[in-house]
Amino acid sequence: MTANRSPRLGERVVAPFGRRRCEIKRNLPSGGYRIFSALDPAGPVPAAGQFYMLATDSGWGGDQGRPYLARAFSVADAAPEDGGVRLDFLVQAVGPGTSRLAALEPGEGLWVHGPLGRPFSAPRDVSEGAAGAILVGGGIGVAPLALWRRQLLAAGTPARVLLGFRDRENSGGLDLFDCSEIRLASEDGHSGHRGFVTDLLAVLLEGDDTGSAAVYACGPPAMLEAVRGMCAEQGVACELAMETPMACGFGACFGCAVPLADGGYLRLCVDGPVVRGDQLETALVPGSGH
Ligand SMILES: Cc1cc2nc3c(=O)[nH]c(=O)nc-3n(C[C@H](O)[C@H](O)[C@H](O)COP(=O)(O)OP(=O)(O)OC[C@H]3O[C@@H](n4cnc5c(N)ncnc54)[C@H](O)[C@@H]3O)c2cc1C
Ligand code: FES
């Protein structure tokens, strides 16, 4: 595919070989998180749900050499621009790698390898009768849903968005959605419904039109497991964008193995990170999530 063609819904975009140096164009606060943008000079437009392995070209390896390995990041938005494709990432600083990425300044260099992994599928490919989508995000897991919403709307597919956060500090990324039709939940009640985002999903799943939507979720393992269970109970198809620690990101180390309901494992970096809910016995995978 050409560098600036947008992928069809559900199309897996293949990464060019090796990593590329991108220039940081901006880095702005977004609630308790930050959004940084890099101009990818030679990469394709990614599909929503795919991820990149990221490392800065300086200051990567502080005390005791950490973070050392590149870090996995969902692409939160992407668009062709003069000189390449703009890639937006939403970051929550939780350790040395994410803290260094959160501190990137415009003009600095970022190494990217990607887009990697399996993206979200079009609603009709998740469930035959699904004409629309329900997007459920929790915490930093809202990142891939912003690009997914934009790609769904560009294809004329209706999408309802439910986002939940723990508290003000652990929230952000709303700037990426550029719409007022998001339904919010927060555990501390600072915005929207006081409680879990899954409370909002429960209301939608009780509606008459449930069978006409596929559910897409990204967030902490407990949220994903709740979404998986609720959808299984209501007979609604869902896809979950999962996280495990990833050392390589392209299938070589087997560090990202996730057990499947029918036995066996998948490597989340190549067979995921987007996984169908009915493939899993549980989304509570040891080592997954923040
Ligand atoms: C496919 C994928 C997409 C991701 N997208 C984003 C994103 O858009 N924005 C974002 O801020 N983060 C994202 N992450 C998580 C991010 O990769 C980790 O937070 C990061 O690797 C932590 O590195 P660190 O050096 O800052 O912290 P470390 O010191 O490596 O770890 C800090 C804490 O986070 C835990 N941790 C480390 N790596 C991961 C991981 N991969 N998943 C879950 N917990 C981890 C550790 O157990 C520890 O408790 C994603 C992870 C994956 C696998
Ligand atoms: S991260 Fe190495 S195989 Fe998946």
Side-chain angles (χ1 to χ4, degrees):
M1 79 186 277
T2 54
N4 56 10
R5 179 174 77 74
S6 285
R8 293 184 307 281
L9 280 191
E11 177 185 350
R12 183 179 190 141
V13 179
V14 177
F17 185 73
R19 61 179 192 166
R20 308 178 290 288
R21 187 183 183 281
C22 302
E23 187 181 326
I24 295 296
K25 293 296 177 187
R26 58 173 197 166
N27 182 346
L28 300 170
S30 179
Y33 307 152
R34 295 193 73 86
I35 299 168
F36 60 93
S37 307
L39 189 66
D40 183 354
V45 177
Q50 291 193 293
F51 68 98
Y52 288 77
M53 297 300 286
L54 303 182
T56 58
D57 79 345
S58 66
W60 193 257
D63 291 348
Q64 294 122 31
R66 297 195 71 222
Y68 188 63
L69 295 171
R71 296 300 196 241
F73 268 74
S74 305
V75 58
D77 204 355
E81 280 191 0
D82 278 355
V85 172
R86 192 198 76 244
L87 302 174
D88 293 342
F89 298 99
L90 183 68
V91 59
Q92 180 175 30
V94 295
T98 45
S99 299
R100 175 65 186 103
L101 292 164
L104 276 165
E105 304 267 0
E108 282 200 86
L110 177 73
W111 289 108
V112 309
H113 181 200
L116 300 167
R118 180 176 168 257
F120 293 117
S121 314
R124 277 192 206 293
D125 295 333
V126 181
S127 165
E128 220 172 281
I134 301 172
L135 278 46
V136 188
I140 193 69
V142 305
L145 301 181
L147 179 58
W148 188 221
R149 176 185 164 276
R150 217 166 50 66
Q151 293 182 339
L152 284 165
L153 292 192
T157 306
R160 285 171 283 184
V161 183
L162 313 175
L163 304 180
F165 300 98
R166 194 187 316 155
D167 50 31
R168 200 178 289 278
E169 193 188 339
N170 291 283
S171 71
L174 297 183
D175 320 61
L176 290 162
F177 285 84
D178 183 29
C179 78
S180 53
E181 289 148 33
I182 299 173
R183 276 177 243 182
L184 290 174
S186 54
E187 288 172 50
D188 68 346
H190 78 274
S191 67
H193 162 77
R194 179 189 285 269
F196 295 123
V197 68
T198 44
D199 301 341
L200 303 178
L201 178 64
V203 174
L204 285 191
L205 291 185
E206 277 160 19
D208 294 339
D209 59 348
T210 300
S212 66
V215 172
Y216 302 88
C218 185
M223 186 206 95
L224 292 183
E225 177 55 12
V227 171
R228 191 197 63 77
M230 291 163 75
C231 289
E233 209 164 283
Q234 299 284 340
V236 175
C238 70
E239 284 193 331
L240 311 175
M242 299 178 71
E243 276 188 23
T244 54
M246 288 185 182
C248 72
F250 48 80
C253 72
F254 286 72
C256 61
V258 168
L260 293 170
D262 61 359
Y265 290 84
L266 57 71
R267 283 168 299 169
L268 203 70
C269 65
V270 286
D271 307 315
V274 176
V275 179
R276 271 203 342 266
D278 61 8
Q279 285 182 279
L280 302 168
E281 200 150 84
T282 174
L284 295 171
V285 177
S288 68
H290 282 77

